[in-house]
Amino acid sequence: MSDIMSNNGSAVVAMNGKNCVAIGSDLSFQVERQHIGRIFKVYQITDKILLGLTGLLSDCVSFYQLVRYHIAHLKLTEGRTIQPKSFIHMVSFLLYSKRWQPYFVEVVIAGLDEDGKPYISSSDTVGSMTEPEDFVVGGTATQSLLGAAECFWEKDMDSEALFEATSQTLLSGIDRDSYSGWGAVTYILTPEKLITRYLRSRQD
């Protein structure tokens, strides 16, 4: 029996580029290595923020719904759209407020601020956050993703180079983690548009 954080398995990676940011995840939905189907693990929060969730699937869905409520409430009461750096602080607060009965989720965030500067961050189950300048990973494939990301990431990559680095990191990590797989999806966010590309990976 695995621990609760690896019950459903996942692999998520986000990388900074030059005026762009990318985030990708596998598509596998499985319970204790038994494949059930496919599910998306990256959600679009605003036009400039993407949220990746790993961990226990039921908690991921519940936490996403909680985040959507707070984003909608903010827009309704204050008439503004939240920025990525403010968003991770909101996420951190929501997770920390439930620290005694935590959501079993890890958070990976990728976005562009109002000046078009890329921003990535992550948080553990109790809201302890990191804000790296290069890349961030999460899920059961964390160890294999870290090694691959260190090899593929370079400073100031354009959108195409960033897509290639993120995708190769993701596929490399998936190949070395039996809890994740069954295809992947990578999102590239630029000031002008959001690009979605699907990847083939192992099917076992």
Side-chain angles (χ1 to χ4, degrees):
M1 194 74 175
S2 65
D3 67 274
I4 195 167
M5 289 296 291
S6 61
N7 189 62
N8 298 125
S10 53
V12 177
V13 57
M15 287 186 173
N16 270 338
K18 185 176 182 180
N19 300 321
C20 57
V21 68
I23 184 171
S25 76
D26 72 311
L27 297 174
S28 176
F29 169 38
Q30 55 180 296
V31 178
E32 294 292 337
R33 294 196 178 105
Q34 179 180 357
H35 180 72
I36 307 297
R38 293 185 178 182
I39 189 170
F40 290 94
K41 301 170 186 178
V42 176
Y43 307 92
Q44 186 171 10
I45 302 301
T46 70
D47 291 343
K48 302 298 181 183
I49 299 176
L50 297 168
L51 169 67
L53 294 174
T54 72
L56 187 64
L57 179 61
S58 57
D59 279 8
C60 289
V61 173
S62 298
F63 186 71
Y64 169 61
Q65 292 173 341
L66 178 66
V67 168
R68 281 188 60 189
Y69 165 78
H70 282 278
I71 293 296
H73 183 265
L74 177 67
K75 190 170 184 178
L76 182 65
T77 56
E78 299 188 21
R80 64 184 178 91
T81 302
I82 196 168
Q83 296 299 310
K85 191 163 284 193
S86 299
F87 181 66
I88 185 59
H89 284 279
M90 184 192 80
V91 166
S92 177
F93 170 78
L94 292 175
L95 290 171
Y96 186 73
S97 65
K98 291 278 290 182
R99 63 193 179 281
W100 304 119
Q101 294 178 310
Y103 290 103
F104 292 102
V105 300
E106 292 179 347
V107 175
V108 174
I109 293 170
L112 298 174
D113 64 18
E114 55 192 352
D115 297 321
K117 183 179 178 181
Y119 175 83
I120 58 173
S121 58
S122 68
S123 174
D124 64 8
T125 56
V126 293
S128 178
M129 60 185 188
T130 61
E131 299 174 296
E133 296 293 329
D134 44 11
F135 57 83
V136 64
V137 301
T140 54
T142 292
Q143 295 300 319
S144 51
L145 287 171
L146 278 173
E150 289 175 350
C151 292
F152 288 114
W153 184 84
E154 295 179 2
K155 190 175 181 180
D156 292 335
M157 291 185 289
D158 61 20
S159 59
E160 285 302 316
L162 185 63
F163 162 73
E164 189 69 25
T166 304
S167 300
Q168 291 296 336
T169 298
L170 190 56
L171 292 175
S172 178
I174 288 172
D175 284 344
R176 292 164 176 79
D177 178 46
S178 60
Y179 283 96
S180 57
W182 282 82
V185 59
T186 300
Y187 303 88
I188 306 97
L189 183 61
T190 70
E192 295 79 26
K193 58 187 176 180
L194 173 65
I195 305 167
T196 305
R197 292 176 179 170
Y198 293 89
L199 311 171
R200 290 185 179 182
S201 71
R202 65 164 219 276
Q203 305 287 305
D204 58 359

